[in-house]
């Protein structure tokens, strides 16, 4: 299968809604662009992608997404520089990871040209929705789900691949206070934790709500068997700085291979920051908090890039982290965002220009 931009069917909106968008007050993921891309898998093949006006999806009540949860997604962003040129950040990594998730959830993989040609055509059509204010971006949500019908517990025979976009302002999480979770697990060995499956996130909501009721903003997930090892921060990968070493856990069946995570590790190496990818015990983090060697903790992901953690709770005790003037988190975030917004050299080859 192969597709080119000229092959994509385009149905433009009659009247754009861009005049209704308040670009000075954009809540994350709540306002959407004029168009979306839709591609159907049917009779063993992906059909020609179509760009249509953004609109509701009609599904049969027996569509298997409702019953067996075959659903995956990606999260990425488009950025504008001072010349109004449009850029993506490591988009081929998003495509690769989407297909890794698809394989795990028994969903047909989407060819690279369908993904990239569809995405860039959509962005060229809706590029005026990409904010130009500092920190603004267009959040992009590619997703795939089972649209085929039937109550039989088996993979569907039809699927939808859709890309929808939402202009978003600067993402500020504020001072995040987290609770180290010891009862509930995000994922398990041999499970689907490494896939961006919708159910992974649904399963997080209840334990997170319990943490919120205790006065925390989010949870730190630990391993599913012993709960001795730090794994992820909410829906983000986690980094922990002890003295001047930056630690993060290894990817596994349970941990998502985050694109921001990979970028941080490469930049840290380039900057001469010592890193260690290894299992991190809760005990050593608590001990470091007590003796003052714990300097930083932060989540890493697409939405916030880096989300600083101000403190954590563990077994009815709260531990505050110091406020640093020149933190690793701030330094690494600036380097990443400067690449994303075309403000600096991209020695890593991550920036991808969307050409008209």
């Amino acid at each position: 299968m192969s597709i080119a931009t000229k092959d994509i069917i385009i149905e433009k909106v009659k009247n754009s809604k861009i005049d209704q968008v308040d670009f000075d007050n954009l809540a994350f993921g709540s306002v959407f662009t004029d168009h979306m891309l839709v591609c159907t898998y049917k009779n063993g093949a992906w059909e020609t992608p179509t760009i249509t006006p953004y609109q509701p999806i009609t599904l049969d009540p027996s569509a298997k997404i409702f019953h067996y949860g075959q659903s995956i997604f990606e999260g990425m962003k488009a950025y504008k520089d001072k010349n109004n040129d449009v850029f993506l950040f490591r988009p081929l990594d998003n495509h690769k990871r989407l297909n890794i998730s698809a394989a795990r959830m028994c969903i047909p993989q989407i060819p690279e040209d369908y993904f990239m040609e569809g995405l860039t055509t959509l962005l060229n059509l809706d590029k005026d929705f990409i904010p130009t204010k500092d920190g603004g971006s267009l959040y992009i949500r590619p997703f795939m789900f089972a649209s085929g019908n039937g109550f039989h517990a088996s993979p569907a025979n039809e699927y939808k691949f859709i890309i929808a976009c939402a202009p978003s302002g600067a993402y500020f999480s504020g001072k995040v206070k987290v609770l180290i979770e010891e009862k509930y697990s995000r994922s398990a060995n041999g499970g689907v934790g490494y896939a961006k499956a919708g159910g992974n996130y649904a399963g997080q909501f209840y334990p997170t709500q319990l943490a919120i009721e205790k006065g925390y903003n989010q949870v730190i997930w630990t391993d599913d068997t012993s709960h001795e090892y730090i794994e992820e921060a909410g829906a983000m990968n986690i980094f922990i700085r002890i003295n001047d070493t930056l630690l993060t856990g290894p990817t596994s069946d349970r941990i998502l291979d985050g694109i921001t995570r990979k970028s941080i590790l490469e930049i840290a190496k380039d900057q001469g920051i010592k890193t260690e990818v290894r299992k991190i015990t809760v005990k050593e983090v608590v001990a470091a908090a007590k003796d003052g060697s714990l300097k930083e903790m932060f989540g890493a992901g697409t939405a916030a890039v880096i989300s600083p953690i101000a403190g954590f709770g563990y077994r009815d005790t709260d531990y505050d982290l110091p406020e640093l003037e020149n933190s690793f988190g701030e330094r690494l975030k600036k380097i990443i965002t400067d690449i994303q917004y075309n403000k600096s050299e991209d020695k890593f080859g991550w920036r991808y220009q969307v050409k008209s």
Side-chain angles (χ1 to χ4, degrees):
M1 293 184 293
S2 182
I3 199 81
T5 300
K6 64 180 176 58
D7 300 318
I8 297 172
I9 300 166
I10 299 175
E11 179 192 345
K12 293 184 180 180
V13 293
K14 292 179 180 177
N15 297 297
S16 175
K17 59 189 176 190
I18 195 165
D19 292 340
Q20 302 168 30
V21 179
D22 182 358
F23 282 93
D24 293 323
N25 296 286
L26 286 170
F28 182 76
S30 60
V31 177
F32 304 96
T33 62
D34 282 337
H35 302 91
M36 64 185 191
L37 180 132
V38 181
C39 189
T40 300
Y41 181 89
K42 191 174 182 179
N43 298 322
W46 288 103
E47 298 181 343
T48 302
T50 302
I51 291 178
T52 69
Y54 184 90
Q55 60 190 285
I57 302 166
T58 301
L59 292 171
D60 192 282
S62 69
K64 291 200 173 185
I65 174 58
F66 300 133
H67 308 281
Y68 304 112
Q70 277 183 288
S71 174
I72 59 173
F73 68 94
E74 273 298 318
M76 49 199 304
K77 288 181 177 180
Y79 312 85
K80 271 186 179 174
D81 68 5
K82 62 182 180 181
N83 299 317
N84 278 334
D85 290 325
V86 178
F87 297 90
L88 295 165
F89 183 73
R90 305 187 72 166
L92 295 178
D93 286 324
N94 288 102
H95 169 259
K96 179 181 178 182
R97 190 172 63 183
L98 184 69
N99 277 342
I100 289 171
S101 298
R104 181 62 181 87
M105 300 302 291
C106 212
I107 295 172
Q109 298 186 27
I110 190 82
E112 182 182 306
D113 51 350
Y114 277 61
F115 183 93
M116 291 303 299
E117 296 292 339
L119 174 57
T120 54
T121 303
L122 179 63
L123 290 177
N124 276 317
L125 202 58
D126 282 347
K127 61 185 176 183
D128 289 344
F129 282 86
I130 304 174
T132 55
K133 294 194 69 172
D134 258 4
S137 60
L138 185 72
Y139 186 79
I140 302 165
R141 173 55 60 87
F143 59 104
M144 300 166 69
F145 62 91
S147 55
N149 303 334
F151 291 147
H152 189 268
S154 62
N157 58 3
E158 292 183 18
Y159 297 85
K160 295 285 187 186
F161 169 61
I162 296 177
I163 303 178
C165 303
S168 299
Y171 190 102
F172 296 111
S173 57
K175 292 185 176 181
V176 176
K177 189 179 175 186
V178 298
L179 176 66
I180 294 178
E181 179 60 53
E182 288 194 277
K183 178 179 179 181
Y184 297 98
S185 299
R186 177 188 171 274
S187 58
N189 288 329
V192 298
Y194 68 90
K196 284 188 75 71
N200 287 346
Y201 298 80
Q204 294 186 41
F205 295 157
Y206 178 66
T208 301
Q209 186 58 43
L210 295 179
I212 290 170
E213 289 170 4
K214 294 177 181 179
Y216 300 92
N217 306 100
Q218 194 50 270
V219 297
I220 295 290
W221 299 106
T222 53
D223 68 284
D224 63 308
T225 50
S226 67
H227 294 289
E228 294 178 14
Y229 299 99
I230 299 286
E231 297 216 320
E232 292 199 340
M236 307 176 81
N237 294 123
I238 188 168
F239 284 83
I240 297 168
R241 175 184 172 186
I242 296 179
N243 290 318
D244 286 330
T245 300
L246 198 58
L247 312 174
T248 194
T251 56
S252 67
D253 286 350
R254 302 185 307 275
I255 298 178
L256 184 72
D257 187 12
I259 293 166
T260 305
R261 172 189 176 276
K262 291 192 289 190
S263 303
I264 288 171
L265 288 171
E266 289 191 54
I267 292 170
K269 181 180 178 181
D270 181 71
Q271 291 287 305
I273 296 172
K274 184 181 178 184
T275 61
E276 291 181 9
V277 179
R278 62 168 176 82
K279 289 186 174 182
I280 308 163
T281 66
V282 175
K283 285 182 180 179
E284 71 178 306
V285 174
V286 171
K290 289 178 178 178
D291 68 21
S293 59
L294 179 62
K295 305 300 183 185
E296 294 178 66
M297 295 173 67
F298 55 82
T302 299
V305 183
I306 285 174
S307 181
I309 294 170
F312 69 91
Y314 179 65
R315 294 185 177 177
D316 299 322
T317 302
D318 286 341
Y319 301 88
D320 293 325
L321 275 77
E323 293 189 14
L324 305 178
E325 285 190 9
N326 298 304
S327 69
F328 283 178
E330 289 175 353
R331 180 174 158 190
L332 293 164
K333 182 175 182 177
K334 185 177 188 309
I335 292 170
I336 291 174
T337 55
D338 281 353
I339 292 172
Q340 291 170 335
Y341 288 95
N342 195 28
K343 292 181 178 180
S344 69
E345 175 195 1
D346 175 19
K347 64 173 70 175
F348 305 99
W350 294 334
R351 192 165 51 225
Y352 181 99
Q353 185 168 1
V354 178
K355 295 180 180 178
S356 302

